[in-house]
Amino acid sequence: MKNRFKDEYITNWIHVAVVLRNMCAHHSRLYDKWIKVKPKLTKQDKVKLNISVSEESTYSYKVFHVIYAIKNLVRDEYILNEFIDKLDVLFCKYEMYIDKEKSVFLKTGKTY
């Protein structure tokens, strides 16, 4: 089976997934947290997320961007949609604790 993406993208996405996993394993706060490892985003993803080439080098990536990049590793749409639905349920459950101005997820909407 041929990869849809270059190896450098896949390697990066696995790396950022491991960083995110380690943050979770060590009980780090994820909400409104900057990610030190920059996820590689495809040109299409950058367009969809309104990240211009000029601001890319200084762009601050958050957990949303990591999850957005990692979604490219999931080939099963059902699993991806189930994850997004569960995430949406969590946002609804804790809505009163979420600052909507700081949430890239809520600004972007549910069209991941």
PDB file of all heavy atoms in Angstrom, residues 18-55:
ATOM      1  N   VAL A  18       3.722  11.128  20.084  1.00  0.00           N
ATOM      2  CA  VAL A  18       4.447  10.643  21.256  1.00  0.00           C
ATOM      3  C   VAL A  18       4.589  11.768  22.287  1.00  0.00           C
ATOM      4  O   VAL A  18       4.394  11.545  23.492  1.00  0.00           O
ATOM      5  CB  VAL A  18       5.828  10.069  20.859  1.00  0.00           C
ATOM      6  CG1 VAL A  18       6.710   9.839  22.071  1.00  0.00           C
ATOM      7  CG2 VAL A  18       5.651   8.780  20.066  1.00  0.00           C
ATOM      8  N   VAL A  19       4.893  12.977  21.825  1.00  0.00           N
ATOM      9  CA  VAL A  19       5.004  14.117  22.744  1.00  0.00           C
ATOM     10  C   VAL A  19       3.667  14.356  23.445  1.00  0.00           C
ATOM     11  O   VAL A  19       3.613  14.537  24.668  1.00  0.00           O
ATOM     12  CB  VAL A  19       5.474  15.388  21.996  1.00  0.00           C
ATOM     13  CG1 VAL A  19       5.337  16.630  22.868  1.00  0.00           C
ATOM     14  CG2 VAL A  19       6.903  15.222  21.508  1.00  0.00           C
ATOM     15  N   LEU A  20       2.580  14.328  22.691  1.00  0.00           N
ATOM     16  CA  LEU A  20       1.245  14.509  23.265  1.00  0.00           C
ATOM     17  C   LEU A  20       0.918  13.393  24.250  1.00  0.00           C
ATOM     18  O   LEU A  20       0.411  13.642  25.343  1.00  0.00           O
ATOM     19  CB  LEU A  20       0.194  14.577  22.157  1.00  0.00           C
ATOM     20  CG  LEU A  20      -1.237  14.837  22.606  1.00  0.00           C
ATOM     21  CD1 LEU A  20      -1.353  16.200  23.293  1.00  0.00           C
ATOM     22  CD2 LEU A  20      -2.178  14.769  21.408  1.00  0.00           C
ATOM     23  N   ARG A  21       1.245  12.176  23.894  1.00  0.00           N
ATOM     24  CA  ARG A  21       1.020  11.032  24.775  1.00  0.00           C
ATOM     25  C   ARG A  21       1.789  11.200  26.083  1.00  0.00           C
ATOM     26  O   ARG A  21       1.272  10.958  27.168  1.00  0.00           O
ATOM     27  CB  ARG A  21       1.446   9.737  24.074  1.00  0.00           C
ATOM     28  CG  ARG A  21       1.282   8.503  24.923  1.00  0.00           C
ATOM     29  CD  ARG A  21       2.668   8.061  25.396  1.00  0.00           C
ATOM     30  NE  ARG A  21       2.550   7.034  26.405  1.00  0.00           N
ATOM     31  CZ  ARG A  21       3.218   7.053  27.558  1.00  0.00           C
ATOM     32  NH1 ARG A  21       4.024   8.041  27.860  1.00  0.00           N
ATOM     33  NH2 ARG A  21       3.089   6.089  28.419  1.00  0.00           N
ATOM     34  N   ASN A  22       3.050  11.644  25.993  1.00  0.00           N
ATOM     35  CA  ASN A  22       3.863  11.844  27.188  1.00  0.00           C
ATOM     36  C   ASN A  22       3.299  12.955  28.073  1.00  0.00           C
ATOM     37  O   ASN A  22       3.328  12.851  29.303  1.00  0.00           O
ATOM     38  CB  ASN A  22       5.314  12.142  26.819  1.00  0.00           C
ATOM     39  CG  ASN A  22       6.021  10.928  26.269  1.00  0.00           C
ATOM     40  OD1 ASN A  22       5.579   9.790  26.454  1.00  0.00           O
ATOM     41  ND2 ASN A  22       7.112  11.149  25.571  1.00  0.00           N
ATOM     42  N   MET A  23       2.781  13.994  27.447  1.00  0.00           N
ATOM     43  CA  MET A  23       2.149  15.062  28.228  1.00  0.00           C
ATOM     44  C   MET A  23       0.963  14.503  29.013  1.00  0.00           C
ATOM     45  O   MET A  23       0.798  14.810  30.193  1.00  0.00           O
ATOM     46  CB  MET A  23       1.689  16.192  27.306  1.00  0.00           C
ATOM     47  CG  MET A  23       2.821  16.989  26.695  1.00  0.00           C
ATOM     48  SD  MET A  23       2.267  18.138  25.402  1.00  0.00           S
ATOM     49  CE  MET A  23       1.278  19.273  26.362  1.00  0.00           C
ATOM     50  N   CYS A  24       0.165  13.685  28.353  1.00  0.00           N
ATOM     51  CA  CYS A  24      -0.994  13.076  29.015  1.00  0.00           C
ATOM     52  C   CYS A  24      -0.548  12.121  30.122  1.00  0.00           C
ATOM     53  O   CYS A  24      -1.110  12.124  31.223  1.00  0.00           O
ATOM     54  CB  CYS A  24      -1.852  12.316  28.002  1.00  0.00           C
ATOM     55  SG  CYS A  24      -2.663  13.382  26.809  1.00  0.00           S
ATOM     56  N   ALA A  25       0.463  11.329  29.855  1.00  0.00           N
ATOM     57  CA  ALA A  25       0.941  10.342  30.826  1.00  0.00           C
ATOM     58  C   ALA A  25       1.496  11.002  32.084  1.00  0.00           C
ATOM     59  O   ALA A  25       1.448  10.422  33.170  1.00  0.00           O
ATOM     60  CB  ALA A  25       2.006   9.453  30.191  1.00  0.00           C
ATOM     61  N   HIS A  26       2.006  12.212  31.929  1.00  0.00           N
ATOM     62  CA  HIS A  26       2.581  12.918  33.076  1.00  0.00           C
ATOM     63  C   HIS A  26       1.626  13.983  33.616  1.00  0.00           C
ATOM     64  O   HIS A  26       2.038  14.900  34.320  1.00  0.00           O
ATOM     65  CB  HIS A  26       3.926  13.529  32.694  1.00  0.00           C
ATOM     66  CG  HIS A  26       4.953  12.488  32.395  1.00  0.00           C
ATOM     67  ND1 HIS A  26       5.595  11.772  33.372  1.00  0.00           N
ATOM     68  CD2 HIS A  26       5.417  12.010  31.212  1.00  0.00           C
ATOM     69  CE1 HIS A  26       6.425  10.912  32.814  1.00  0.00           C
ATOM     70  NE2 HIS A  26       6.329  11.021  31.499  1.00  0.00           N
ATOM     71  N   HIS A  27       0.348  13.844  33.246  1.00  0.00           N
ATOM     72  CA  HIS A  27      -0.727  14.693  33.769  1.00  0.00           C
ATOM     73  C   HIS A  27      -0.520  16.181  33.496  1.00  0.00           C
ATOM     74  O   HIS A  27      -0.867  17.028  34.310  1.00  0.00           O
ATOM     75  CB  HIS A  27      -0.931  14.456  35.273  1.00  0.00           C
ATOM     76  CG  HIS A  27      -1.130  13.020  35.615  1.00  0.00           C
ATOM     77  ND1 HIS A  27      -2.286  12.348  35.292  1.00  0.00           N
ATOM     78  CD2 HIS A  27      -0.318  12.125  36.226  1.00  0.00           C
ATOM     79  CE1 HIS A  27      -2.184  11.091  35.693  1.00  0.00           C
ATOM     80  NE2 HIS A  27      -0.994  10.927  36.256  1.00  0.00           N
ATOM     81  N   SER A  28       0.053  16.495  32.356  1.00  0.00           N
ATOM     82  CA  SER A  28       0.199  17.899  31.972  1.00  0.00           C
ATOM     83  C   SER A  28      -1.146  18.467  31.557  1.00  0.00           C
ATOM     84  O   SER A  28      -1.999  17.752  31.034  1.00  0.00           O
ATOM     85  CB  SER A  28       1.152  18.042  30.777  1.00  0.00           C
ATOM     86  OG  SER A  28       2.474  17.997  31.174  1.00  0.00           O
ATOM     87  N   ARG A  29      -1.284  19.736  31.764  1.00  0.00           N
ATOM     88  CA  ARG A  29      -2.484  20.431  31.302  1.00  0.00           C
ATOM     89  C   ARG A  29      -2.371  20.567  29.782  1.00  0.00           C
ATOM     90  O   ARG A  29      -1.332  20.954  29.259  1.00  0.00           O
ATOM     91  CB  ARG A  29      -2.537  21.814  31.961  1.00  0.00           C
ATOM     92  CG  ARG A  29      -3.650  22.697  31.454  1.00  0.00           C
ATOM     93  CD  ARG A  29      -3.603  24.061  32.137  1.00  0.00           C
ATOM     94  NE  ARG A  29      -2.373  24.784  31.881  1.00  0.00           N
ATOM     95  CZ  ARG A  29      -2.165  25.570  30.827  1.00  0.00           C
ATOM     96  NH1 ARG A  29      -3.089  25.717  29.908  1.00  0.00           N
ATOM     97  NH2 ARG A  29      -1.018  26.205  30.675  1.00  0.00           N
ATOM     98  N   LEU A  30      -3.440  20.268  29.078  1.00  0.00           N
ATOM     99  CA  LEU A  30      -3.418  20.371  27.617  1.00  0.00           C
ATOM    100  C   LEU A  30      -4.133  21.618  27.119  1.00  0.00           C
ATOM    101  O   LEU A  30      -3.821  22.143  26.060  1.00  0.00           O
ATOM    102  CB  LEU A  30      -4.059  19.143  26.977  1.00  0.00           C
ATOM    103  CG  LEU A  30      -3.364  17.808  27.237  1.00  0.00           C
ATOM    104  CD1 LEU A  30      -4.126  16.690  26.542  1.00  0.00           C
ATOM    105  CD2 LEU A  30      -1.918  17.841  26.788  1.00  0.00           C
ATOM    106  N   TYR A  31      -5.079  22.085  27.899  1.00  0.00           N
ATOM    107  CA  TYR A  31      -5.893  23.220  27.483  1.00  0.00           C
ATOM    108  C   TYR A  31      -5.036  24.484  27.358  1.00  0.00           C
ATOM    109  O   TYR A  31      -4.307  24.851  28.273  1.00  0.00           O
ATOM    110  CB  TYR A  31      -7.023  23.428  28.490  1.00  0.00           C
ATOM    111  CG  TYR A  31      -7.873  24.642  28.214  1.00  0.00           C
ATOM    112  CD1 TYR A  31      -8.724  24.670  27.111  1.00  0.00           C
ATOM    113  CD2 TYR A  31      -7.817  25.746  29.030  1.00  0.00           C
ATOM    114  CE1 TYR A  31      -9.502  25.771  26.845  1.00  0.00           C
ATOM    115  CE2 TYR A  31      -8.599  26.862  28.773  1.00  0.00           C
ATOM    116  CZ  TYR A  31      -9.438  26.867  27.684  1.00  0.00           C
ATOM    117  OH  TYR A  31     -10.201  27.966  27.411  1.00  0.00           O
ATOM    118  N   ASP A  32      -5.109  25.130  26.222  1.00  0.00           N
ATOM    119  CA  ASP A  32      -4.395  26.367  25.942  1.00  0.00           C
ATOM    120  C   ASP A  32      -2.884  26.228  26.137  1.00  0.00           C
ATOM    121  O   ASP A  32      -2.202  27.153  26.549  1.00  0.00           O
ATOM    122  CB  ASP A  32      -4.947  27.514  26.815  1.00  0.00           C
ATOM    123  CG  ASP A  32      -4.479  28.873  26.322  1.00  0.00           C
ATOM    124  OD1 ASP A  32      -4.353  29.059  25.093  1.00  0.00           O
ATOM    125  OD2 ASP A  32      -4.222  29.746  27.167  1.00  0.00           O
ATOM    126  N   LYS A  33      -2.366  25.063  25.859  1.00  0.00           N
ATOM    127  CA  LYS A  33      -0.934  24.780  26.043  1.00  0.00           C
ATOM    128  C   LYS A  33      -0.233  24.884  24.694  1.00  0.00           C
ATOM    129  O   LYS A  33      -0.704  24.368  23.689  1.00  0.00           O
ATOM    130  CB  LYS A  33      -0.788  23.368  26.613  1.00  0.00           C
ATOM    131  CG  LYS A  33       0.615  22.936  26.867  1.00  0.00           C
ATOM    132  CD  LYS A  33       0.917  23.040  28.321  1.00  0.00           C
ATOM    133  CE  LYS A  33       2.261  22.422  28.590  1.00  0.00           C
ATOM    134  NZ  LYS A  33       2.563  22.390  29.967  1.00  0.00           N
ATOM    135  N   TRP A  34       0.921  25.544  24.685  1.00  0.00           N
ATOM    136  CA  TRP A  34       1.744  25.615  23.485  1.00  0.00           C
ATOM    137  C   TRP A  34       2.532  24.317  23.363  1.00  0.00           C
ATOM    138  O   TRP A  34       2.990  23.783  24.352  1.00  0.00           O
ATOM    139  CB  TRP A  34       2.708  26.793  23.538  1.00  0.00           C
ATOM    140  CG  TRP A  34       2.008  28.105  23.731  1.00  0.00           C
ATOM    141  CD1 TRP A  34       2.037  28.868  24.854  1.00  0.00           C
ATOM    142  CD2 TRP A  34       1.159  28.779  22.816  1.00  0.00           C
ATOM    143  NE1 TRP A  34       1.263  29.988  24.679  1.00  0.00           N
ATOM    144  CE2 TRP A  34       0.711  29.960  23.434  1.00  0.00           C
ATOM    145  CE3 TRP A  34       0.722  28.502  21.522  1.00  0.00           C
ATOM    146  CZ2 TRP A  34      -0.142  30.863  22.812  1.00  0.00           C
ATOM    147  CZ3 TRP A  34      -0.124  29.405  20.907  1.00  0.00           C
ATOM    148  CH2 TRP A  34      -0.539  30.555  21.544  1.00  0.00           C
ATOM    149  N   ILE A  35       2.729  23.847  22.157  1.00  0.00           N
ATOM    150  CA  ILE A  35       3.469  22.622  21.908  1.00  0.00           C
ATOM    151  C   ILE A  35       4.849  22.994  21.387  1.00  0.00           C
ATOM    152  O   ILE A  35       4.975  23.777  20.443  1.00  0.00           O
ATOM    153  CB  ILE A  35       2.726  21.738  20.875  1.00  0.00           C
ATOM    154  CG1 ILE A  35       1.306  21.435  21.352  1.00  0.00           C
ATOM    155  CG2 ILE A  35       3.495  20.472  20.584  1.00  0.00           C
ATOM    156  CD1 ILE A  35       1.222  20.657  22.630  1.00  0.00           C
ATOM    157  N   LYS A  36       5.865  22.443  22.001  1.00  0.00           N
ATOM    158  CA  LYS A  36       7.238  22.788  21.612  1.00  0.00           C
ATOM    159  C   LYS A  36       7.652  22.138  20.302  1.00  0.00           C
ATOM    160  O   LYS A  36       8.482  22.657  19.582  1.00  0.00           O
ATOM    161  CB  LYS A  36       8.202  22.399  22.729  1.00  0.00           C
ATOM    162  CG  LYS A  36       8.001  23.247  23.960  1.00  0.00           C
ATOM    163  CD  LYS A  36       8.888  22.834  25.097  1.00  0.00           C
ATOM    164  CE  LYS A  36       8.575  23.703  26.299  1.00  0.00           C
ATOM    165  NZ  LYS A  36       9.024  23.187  27.533  1.00  0.00           N
ATOM    166  N   VAL A  37       7.080  20.986  19.995  1.00  0.00           N
ATOM    167  CA  VAL A  37       7.391  20.293  18.745  1.00  0.00           C
ATOM    168  C   VAL A  37       6.379  20.749  17.693  1.00  0.00           C
ATOM    169  O   VAL A  37       5.178  20.632  17.890  1.00  0.00           O
ATOM    170  CB  VAL A  37       7.315  18.754  18.924  1.00  0.00           C
ATOM    171  CG1 VAL A  37       7.588  18.059  17.612  1.00  0.00           C
ATOM    172  CG2 VAL A  37       8.278  18.297  19.993  1.00  0.00           C
ATOM    173  N   LYS A  38       6.878  21.265  16.610  1.00  0.00           N
ATOM    174  CA  LYS A  38       6.012  21.809  15.558  1.00  0.00           C
ATOM    175  C   LYS A  38       5.486  20.691  14.658  1.00  0.00           C
ATOM    176  O   LYS A  38       6.275  20.004  14.014  1.00  0.00           O
ATOM    177  CB  LYS A  38       6.821  22.807  14.741  1.00  0.00           C
ATOM    178  CG  LYS A  38       6.081  23.433  13.605  1.00  0.00           C
ATOM    179  CD  LYS A  38       6.988  24.401  12.869  1.00  0.00           C
ATOM    180  CE  LYS A  38       6.413  24.754  11.538  1.00  0.00           C
ATOM    181  NZ  LYS A  38       7.299  25.619  10.773  1.00  0.00           N
ATOM    182  N   PRO A  39       4.165  20.505  14.604  1.00  0.00           N
ATOM    183  CA  PRO A  39       3.627  19.492  13.696  1.00  0.00           C
ATOM    184  C   PRO A  39       3.730  19.956  12.250  1.00  0.00           C
ATOM    185  O   PRO A  39       3.483  21.119  11.950  1.00  0.00           O
ATOM    186  CB  PRO A  39       2.162  19.361  14.125  1.00  0.00           C
ATOM    187  CG  PRO A  39       1.841  20.644  14.796  1.00  0.00           C
ATOM    188  CD  PRO A  39       3.117  21.176  15.366  1.00  0.00           C
ATOM    189  N   LYS A  40       4.143  19.051  11.377  1.00  0.00           N
ATOM    190  CA  LYS A  40       4.204  19.369   9.942  1.00  0.00           C
ATOM    191  C   LYS A  40       2.778  19.302   9.398  1.00  0.00           C
ATOM    192  O   LYS A  40       2.106  18.293   9.546  1.00  0.00           O
ATOM    193  CB  LYS A  40       5.067  18.355   9.195  1.00  0.00           C
ATOM    194  CG  LYS A  40       6.529  18.653   9.222  1.00  0.00           C
ATOM    195  CD  LYS A  40       7.237  17.691   8.276  1.00  0.00           C
ATOM    196  CE  LYS A  40       8.579  18.158   7.865  1.00  0.00           C
ATOM    197  NZ  LYS A  40       8.636  19.399   7.164  1.00  0.00           N
ATOM    198  N   LEU A  41       2.350  20.373   8.804  1.00  0.00           N
ATOM    199  CA  LEU A  41       1.019  20.408   8.213  1.00  0.00           C
ATOM    200  C   LEU A  41       1.150  20.453   6.697  1.00  0.00           C
ATOM    201  O   LEU A  41       2.053  21.102   6.173  1.00  0.00           O
ATOM    202  CB  LEU A  41       0.246  21.626   8.710  1.00  0.00           C
ATOM    203  CG  LEU A  41      -0.023  21.675  10.213  1.00  0.00           C
ATOM    204  CD1 LEU A  41      -0.609  23.023  10.602  1.00  0.00           C
ATOM    205  CD2 LEU A  41      -0.953  20.558  10.639  1.00  0.00           C
ATOM    206  N   THR A  42       0.245  19.771   6.022  1.00  0.00           N
ATOM    207  CA  THR A  42       0.249  19.787   4.563  1.00  0.00           C
ATOM    208  C   THR A  42      -0.193  21.171   4.082  1.00  0.00           C
ATOM    209  O   THR A  42      -0.766  21.950   4.851  1.00  0.00           O
ATOM    210  CB  THR A  42      -0.706  18.723   3.992  1.00  0.00           C
ATOM    211  OG1 THR A  42      -2.039  19.062   4.383  1.00  0.00           O
ATOM    212  CG2 THR A  42      -0.350  17.328   4.478  1.00  0.00           C
ATOM    213  N   LYS A  43       0.041  21.456   2.830  1.00  0.00           N
ATOM    214  CA  LYS A  43      -0.386  22.743   2.264  1.00  0.00           C
ATOM    215  C   LYS A  43      -1.898  22.903   2.400  1.00  0.00           C
ATOM    216  O   LYS A  43      -2.386  23.982   2.726  1.00  0.00           O
ATOM    217  CB  LYS A  43       0.026  22.850   0.802  1.00  0.00           C
ATOM    218  CG  LYS A  43       1.505  23.038   0.608  1.00  0.00           C
ATOM    219  CD  LYS A  43       1.867  23.095  -0.866  1.00  0.00           C
ATOM    220  CE  LYS A  43       3.380  23.167  -1.008  1.00  0.00           C
ATOM    221  NZ  LYS A  43       3.803  23.099  -2.401  1.00  0.00           N
ATOM    222  N   GLN A  44      -2.627  21.815   2.155  1.00  0.00           N
ATOM    223  CA  GLN A  44      -4.082  21.861   2.258  1.00  0.00           C
ATOM    224  C   GLN A  44      -4.523  22.164   3.692  1.00  0.00           C
ATOM    225  O   GLN A  44      -5.467  22.925   3.909  1.00  0.00           O
ATOM    226  CB  GLN A  44      -4.720  20.531   1.813  1.00  0.00           C
ATOM    227  CG  GLN A  44      -4.483  20.188   0.370  1.00  0.00           C
ATOM    228  CD  GLN A  44      -3.196  19.374   0.163  1.00  0.00           C
ATOM    229  OE1 GLN A  44      -2.247  19.434   0.937  1.00  0.00           O
ATOM    230  NE2 GLN A  44      -3.161  18.597  -0.903  1.00  0.00           N
ATOM    231  N   ASP A  45      -3.825  21.570   4.664  1.00  0.00           N
ATOM    232  CA  ASP A  45      -4.152  21.809   6.070  1.00  0.00           C
ATOM    233  C   ASP A  45      -3.886  23.265   6.443  1.00  0.00           C
ATOM    234  O   ASP A  45      -4.676  23.885   7.147  1.00  0.00           O
ATOM    235  CB  ASP A  45      -3.350  20.887   6.999  1.00  0.00           C
ATOM    236  CG  ASP A  45      -3.809  19.434   6.921  1.00  0.00           C
ATOM    237  OD1 ASP A  45      -4.928  19.185   6.431  1.00  0.00           O
ATOM    238  OD2 ASP A  45      -3.053  18.563   7.368  1.00  0.00           O
ATOM    239  N   LYS A  46      -2.770  23.811   5.977  1.00  0.00           N
ATOM    240  CA  LYS A  46      -2.434  25.205   6.282  1.00  0.00           C
ATOM    241  C   LYS A  46      -3.489  26.152   5.709  1.00  0.00           C
ATOM    242  O   LYS A  46      -3.873  27.121   6.355  1.00  0.00           O
ATOM    243  CB  LYS A  46      -1.054  25.560   5.737  1.00  0.00           C
ATOM    244  CG  LYS A  46       0.070  24.904   6.500  1.00  0.00           C
ATOM    245  CD  LYS A  46       1.405  25.201   5.850  1.00  0.00           C
ATOM    246  CE  LYS A  46       2.492  24.330   6.444  1.00  0.00           C
ATOM    247  NZ  LYS A  46       3.740  24.422   5.713  1.00  0.00           N
ATOM    248  N   VAL A  47      -3.957  25.859   4.503  1.00  0.00           N
ATOM    249  CA  VAL A  47      -4.997  26.679   3.891  1.00  0.00           C
ATOM    250  C   VAL A  47      -6.278  26.581   4.724  1.00  0.00           C
ATOM    251  O   VAL A  47      -6.892  27.595   5.059  1.00  0.00           O
ATOM    252  CB  VAL A  47      -5.257  26.243   2.428  1.00  0.00           C
ATOM    253  CG1 VAL A  47      -6.523  26.879   1.884  1.00  0.00           C
ATOM    254  CG2 VAL A  47      -4.051  26.578   1.560  1.00  0.00           C
ATOM    255  N   LYS A  48      -6.657  25.369   5.092  1.00  0.00           N
ATOM    256  CA  LYS A  48      -7.879  25.156   5.866  1.00  0.00           C
ATOM    257  C   LYS A  48      -7.815  25.842   7.228  1.00  0.00           C
ATOM    258  O   LYS A  48      -8.809  26.329   7.737  1.00  0.00           O
ATOM    259  CB  LYS A  48      -8.120  23.654   6.036  1.00  0.00           C
ATOM    260  CG  LYS A  48      -9.501  23.306   6.489  1.00  0.00           C
ATOM    261  CD  LYS A  48      -9.742  21.821   6.395  1.00  0.00           C
ATOM    262  CE  LYS A  48     -11.168  21.499   6.746  1.00  0.00           C
ATOM    263  NZ  LYS A  48     -11.459  20.081   6.686  1.00  0.00           N
ATOM    264  N   LEU A  49      -6.613  25.892   7.815  1.00  0.00           N
ATOM    265  CA  LEU A  49      -6.441  26.494   9.139  1.00  0.00           C
ATOM    266  C   LEU A  49      -6.016  27.963   9.071  1.00  0.00           C
ATOM    267  O   LEU A  49      -5.734  28.575  10.098  1.00  0.00           O
ATOM    268  CB  LEU A  49      -5.398  25.697   9.934  1.00  0.00           C
ATOM    269  CG  LEU A  49      -5.781  24.256  10.250  1.00  0.00           C
ATOM    270  CD1 LEU A  49      -4.598  23.515  10.859  1.00  0.00           C
ATOM    271  CD2 LEU A  49      -6.981  24.207  11.175  1.00  0.00           C
ATOM    272  N   ASN A  50      -5.946  28.525   7.865  1.00  0.00           N
ATOM    273  CA  ASN A  50      -5.559  29.931   7.659  1.00  0.00           C
ATOM    274  C   ASN A  50      -4.181  30.260   8.228  1.00  0.00           C
ATOM    275  O   ASN A  50      -3.992  31.296   8.872  1.00  0.00           O
ATOM    276  CB  ASN A  50      -6.602  30.878   8.254  1.00  0.00           C
ATOM    277  CG  ASN A  50      -7.887  30.866   7.482  1.00  0.00           C
ATOM    278  OD1 ASN A  50      -7.878  30.761   6.260  1.00  0.00           O
ATOM    279  ND2 ASN A  50      -8.995  30.946   8.190  1.00  0.00           N
ATOM    280  N   ILE A  51      -3.220  29.389   7.994  1.00  0.00           N
ATOM    281  CA  ILE A  51      -1.840  29.647   8.400  1.00  0.00           C
ATOM    282  C   ILE A  51      -1.077  30.042   7.145  1.00  0.00           C
ATOM    283  O   ILE A  51      -0.871  29.233   6.254  1.00  0.00           O
ATOM    284  CB  ILE A  51      -1.197  28.402   9.050  1.00  0.00           C
ATOM    285  CG1 ILE A  51      -1.985  27.982  10.283  1.00  0.00           C
ATOM    286  CG2 ILE A  51       0.261  28.683   9.404  1.00  0.00           C
ATOM    287  CD1 ILE A  51      -1.530  26.657  10.882  1.00  0.00           C
ATOM    288  N   SER A  52      -0.665  31.302   7.087  1.00  0.00           N
ATOM    289  CA  SER A  52       0.028  31.771   5.892  1.00  0.00           C
ATOM    290  C   SER A  52       1.499  31.378   5.939  1.00  0.00           C
ATOM    291  O   SER A  52       2.060  31.142   7.003  1.00  0.00           O
ATOM    292  CB  SER A  52      -0.099  33.291   5.764  1.00  0.00           C
ATOM    293  OG  SER A  52       0.626  33.928   6.792  1.00  0.00           O
ATOM    294  N   VAL A  53       2.118  31.321   4.787  1.00  0.00           N
ATOM    295  CA  VAL A  53       3.529  30.967   4.677  1.00  0.00           C
ATOM    296  C   VAL A  53       4.374  31.982   5.438  1.00  0.00           C
ATOM    297  O   VAL A  53       5.339  31.626   6.106  1.00  0.00           O
ATOM    298  CB  VAL A  53       3.960  30.892   3.195  1.00  0.00           C
ATOM    299  CG1 VAL A  53       5.446  30.649   3.068  1.00  0.00           C
ATOM    300  CG2 VAL A  53       3.178  29.817   2.468  1.00  0.00           C
ATOM    301  N   SER A  54       4.001  33.245   5.397  1.00  0.00           N
ATOM    302  CA  SER A  54       4.789  34.294   6.058  1.00  0.00           C
ATOM    303  C   SER A  54       4.763  34.166   7.581  1.00  0.00           C
ATOM    304  O   SER A  54       5.737  34.498   8.246  1.00  0.00           O
ATOM    305  CB  SER A  54       4.288  35.674   5.643  1.00  0.00           C
ATOM    306  OG  SER A  54       2.943  35.841   6.034  1.00  0.00           O
ATOM    307  N   GLU A  55       3.663  33.685   8.152  1.00  0.00           N
ATOM    308  CA  GLU A  55       3.588  33.573   9.607  1.00  0.00           C
ATOM    309  C   GLU A  55       3.948  32.182  10.119  1.00  0.00           C
ATOM    310  O   GLU A  55       4.041  31.976  11.326  1.00  0.00           O
ATOM    311  CB  GLU A  55       2.201  33.960  10.114  1.00  0.00           C
ATOM    312  CG  GLU A  55       1.123  32.956   9.802  1.00  0.00           C
ATOM    313  CD  GLU A  55      -0.237  33.293  10.400  1.00  0.00           C
ATOM    314  OE1 GLU A  55      -0.322  34.157  11.290  1.00  0.00           O
ATOM    315  OE2 GLU A  55      -1.211  32.680   9.963  1.00  0.00           O
TER     316      GLU A  55
END
